[in-house]
Amino acid sequence: MSSQSSGSKWLAGVLVVAIVGLGGVFLYREKQARDAAQPPQPVAAASAALPSTAVHDTALPQHPIGPAGASTAALPALDQSDDAILAGLLALTSDGALKTLLRPEAIVPRMVATIDALPKANVGMNVLPLRTPTGRFQVQSDDGMFVESKKNLDRYDTYMYVADHVNPKAAAAWYKRNYPLFQQAYRDLGTSGYFNDRLIEVIDHLLAAPEPKGTLQLIPAKVGYIYANDTYEQLSAGQKFMIRVGAENEANLKGKLRALREAVVSDRSAEDK
């Protein structure tokens, strides 16, 4: 399909792996071909050191990260944080499944850029924190119309496995300890405000994804397919992903996202519980 499937599994997996999705971002191969003809959107460059102050905004955050989430050890500079971030993420899983999916460069900037883009129409291919699924998107005929083949769900097994094996409370505690890195990467996108507020906003957006009954009809497009129902075709990249993984997976991902949201907004760390 030409519509994007994005980050919820990654979000639930990488930020329930370290913060929808959850989750990871997975795009259709057809969309990859389309993006290849477009100018790339660069990942925000990481600064050499953390800012001397936590924030510069005058408005207070809606969902502050309190002292309980502060790291007891000095954090590395954002552009030197990949090794520590990778080690922390892998510690959240019981085996090496996540390592096979994760792109090991600019991990935090990729996560931040992807999360920020999920409510939008597109997510740049070069900012994805996870590798895309192998194989091609498949369709099948249904009364003369095209619908998504159930075989596509097999492409997401590893991503769902990762999402299912991450403890949301542990992922939230890891995220809170490393929050200054996420906030800096958010600023490096040229944004103002607080990344944690944006994260909660994005999770709520993914939780609001529709839950269609039955299969959705598809129409061949110049590249790939689009939804015949314009209501679904106009959804964001993140919400398209939520409905694309199937009803059962969508329900599981929403459960993970709710648990992650609750843990992130809690003023108590996992170690205190």
Side-chain angles (χ1 to χ4, degrees), residues 51-70:
S52 57
T53 56
V55 293
H56 300 283
D57 298 281
T58 56
L60 294 176
Q62 295 181 354
H63 303 284
I65 298 292

Side-chain angles (χ1 to χ4, degrees), residues 37 40 42 50 66 72 82 84 103 121 127 148 150 178 183 189 203 222 226 233 237 253 261 268 273:
L50 290 174
T72 57
D82 284 337
R103 293 180 174 179
V127 304
E148 180 180 354
K150 293 183 178 179
N178 290 278
Q183 178 63 22
L189 289 177
I203 290 177
K222 184 176 181 180
I226 61 175
E233 182 57 30
L253 288 176
R261 187 191 193 284
R268 300 176 62 191
K273 300 180 180 181

Side-chain angles (χ1 to χ4, degrees), residues 24-100:
V25 181
F26 322 123
L27 304 180
Y28 300 108
R29 290 296 179 183
E30 291 82 357
K31 185 64 177 69
Q32 287 180 304
R34 174 178 294 178
D35 284 348
Q38 299 175 348
Q41 302 174 7
V43 176
S47 302
L50 290 174
S52 57
T53 56
V55 293
H56 300 283
D57 298 281
T58 56
L60 294 176
Q62 295 181 354
H63 303 284
I65 298 292
S71 175
T72 57
L75 294 175
L78 180 57
D79 62 352
Q80 300 175 16
S81 64
D82 284 337
D83 288 346
I85 291 297
L86 179 61
L89 286 175
L90 296 182
L92 295 174
T93 58
S94 57
D95 53 37
L98 176 61
K99 190 173 183 179
T100 66

Side-chain angles (χ1 to χ4, degrees), residues 216-239:
L216 297 177
Q217 294 180 338
L218 307 173
I219 300 175
K222 184 176 181 180
V223 179
Y225 297 82
I226 61 175
Y227 289 114
N229 187 327
D230 192 59
T231 298
Y232 292 108
E233 182 57 30
Q234 296 304 314
L235 293 174
S236 69
Q239 289 190 343

Side-chain angles (χ1 to χ4, degrees), residues 185-203:
Y186 190 53
R187 289 303 179 81
D188 287 346
L189 289 177
T191 58
S192 59
Y194 303 87
F195 176 70
N196 198 52
D197 288 346
R198 181 59 172 168
L199 172 64
I200 298 302
E201 179 183 10
V202 171
I203 290 177

Side-chain angles (χ1 to χ4, degrees), residues 27 29 131-138 152 154-156 159:
L27 304 180
R29 290 296 179 183
R131 296 181 174 90
T132 54
T134 58
R136 295 183 63 85
F137 177 74
Q138 300 182 53
N152 290 311
D154 296 338
R155 301 168 66 204
Y156 306 131
Y159 301 86

